[in-house]
Every structure is written in structure tokens, then in C-alpha cells.
Amino acid sequence: MSKKLRLAVLVSGGGTNLQAIIDGIADGSITNTEIAAVISNNPGVGALDRAARAGVPAFVLSPKEYESRAVFNTALQEKIDSLGVDLIVLAGCLLKIPESLVEAYPNRIINIHPALIPAFCGKGYYGLKVHEEALKRGVKLTGATVHFVNADLDAGPIILQKAVAVQEGDTPEILQRRVMEEAEWKIMPEAINLIANGCITVEGMQVHIQ
Ligand code: GRF
């Protein structure tokens, strides 16, 4: 058995993408993988309850507790480095990832975005706003993207995408839920499983899946 892929999962809120990872490891759809720890930038969120129920170590590192963002960033990287992880997973993480962390973990940080990048992404595009804009534009297809994180926002090499049809009468909340159920909770575990089993190589902006 080859060495398990060790994950640090960074969260900010409900943790439904974290739950999809926990469930994937439990049901065997994600192999060769273990969650070393969950790190939340917010106390008292659903993701922490999910980690506790799964017996996964969890830490809260809130920028508000530090005298500056730079000091927080250093503490965050020290915590992650201390865990000895192979991959950092941003699962509903609304934290600005410091460039120093991206440089320390090149093509070892992945993020899930609730749209088909390069659509509806970048500064200010997170949570419901993404779906509000998709509905406003009248797109017939939206979906989710898992990508490697680089120095720019939502701009790293794309690993997987999954399309979801917009339906008559969709509200942003209904659409968000469908994108989570039909896309996010499927491609995030699938991407982790591919990485854990050595199926991914990156060449510039191209991600090759063997
Ligand atoms: C949702 O907007 C989801 O689309 C995005 O992050 C938010 C919360 O995700 N990925 P989670 O339930 O905390 O995983």
C-alpha cells in the first residue's frame, strides 16, 4: 500500500464539501487518503461539528485573533506545516490564501468554485452571489470547478468541472443547492481520489488525467 495522501481541509462555514470528503473516504470512493486536520477561520461553524462527528482533529485560526494579517498568515502556515500534509483542500473556504502559502505548496492546494471557471469567478464571486449573477445573465448551464490554487483568484489550472442545467423558476438558493448536490459534492471527492492515486499531472495551465 503506497503512502496515504494527507489532507489539511480549510473551511469557513457549513462544511458540506468537507462532509462529501469525509463520506467519500468512509464509503471507499476516495482511496489512499486521510484527513490530517480541518482548519476553520471561523469558530462555531457547521464544518467544525462535522469534523467532530467524524473524529477529525480541528483547529480554529481566526484572523481577528491576531494583531495583523501578516502574523495570522504566518501562524496559518506554521500550523499547516506542522501537520505534514501533502495537499491543502479549500472546501467552502472564504479566506484569502496568502501568496507565501501558495509558493510553499505549488500545485498542492485545490479549491472548489461554484461556477464553470472562467465564468462568474474572481473578486467578490463567492456563495450566493455567484448564482445570482448566473441567473441574472440567463445562462442555461452553470456548474462547479475544482482547480489548483495559484497566486491569482480562481485562476489556477482546472482539474475537473461538472455542468448543471439552470431550471425555470430557479432562485439563487435553489440553484446553489443543485450545484452543490450535483456538482461540488461529486467533483471535489473525485479530484482528491485522482490526486491520491497519482492520476494527475500538471503542465502549465493544462491538467492531464491518466
Ligand atoms: C458554497 O457557496 C459552496 O458553493 C462553496 O462554498 C460555500 C459553502 O460550502 N464551495 P460548504 O458547505 O461550507 O462546503
Side-chain angles (χ1 to χ4, degrees):
M1 162 79 83
S2 56
K3 177 182 167 299
K4 282 190 174 185
L5 185 79
R6 276 174 66 80
L7 310 180
V9 183
L10 273 52
V11 298
S12 297
T16 63
N17 281 283
L18 166 66
Q19 191 64 54
I21 299 165
I22 291 168
D23 295 347
I25 293 171
D27 70 21
S29 54
I30 301 176
T31 57
N32 244 353
T33 300
E34 60 187 359
I35 304 175
V38 168
I39 300 175
S40 176
N41 62 312
N42 290 320
V45 293
L48 293 170
D49 299 332
R50 296 175 190 276
R53 279 198 297 274
V56 174
F59 304 91
V60 176
L61 272 77
S62 166
K64 294 194 273 292
E65 307 294 318
Y66 293 81
E67 65 255 34
S68 73
R69 180 52 67 117
V71 171
F72 167 78
N73 288 344
T74 302
L76 176 66
Q77 185 154 345
E78 284 171 355
K79 169 55 78 177
I80 291 170
D81 290 348
S82 74
L83 295 166
V85 297
D86 305 296
L87 185 70
I88 299 167
V89 179
L90 309 185
C93 176
L94 300 180
L95 201 57
K96 168 109 182 67
I97 301 302
E99 209 157 320
S100 53
L101 190 63
V102 174
E103 282 162 12
Y105 291 83
N107 285 334
R108 290 172 57 201
I109 308 176
I110 64 173
N111 180 49
I112 178 105
H113 182 73
L116 296 176
I117 288 173
F120 309 113
C121 67
K123 192 162 172 47
Y125 282 91
Y126 59 87
L128 273 183
K129 159 96 174 167
V130 174
H131 307 290
E132 286 163 2
E133 293 303 311
L135 290 172
K136 208 183 290 178
R137 182 63 185 80
V139 295
K140 299 303 177 188
L141 284 177
T142 185
T145 303
V146 180
H147 63 94
F148 285 109
V149 172
N150 63 13
D152 302 316
L153 196 50
D154 299 331
I158 291 173
I159 303 167
L160 291 175
Q161 294 189 297
K162 189 163 176 50
V164 171
V166 178
Q167 294 175 11
E168 272 305 312
D170 271 350
T171 63
E173 291 78 4
I174 292 171
L175 184 54
Q176 177 181 51
R177 185 76 195 178
R178 188 179 313 119
V179 168
M180 290 166 102
E181 285 175 349
E182 297 183 9
E184 294 181 40
W185 301 344
K186 296 191 184 318
I187 61 175
M188 175 59 103
E190 186 182 344
I192 291 169
N193 190 55
L194 288 169
I195 294 168
N197 290 287
C199 302
I200 297 279
T201 52
V202 187
E203 210 179 343
M205 284 301 282
Q206 306 307 319
V207 174
H208 304 291
I209 299 175
Q210 278 82 3

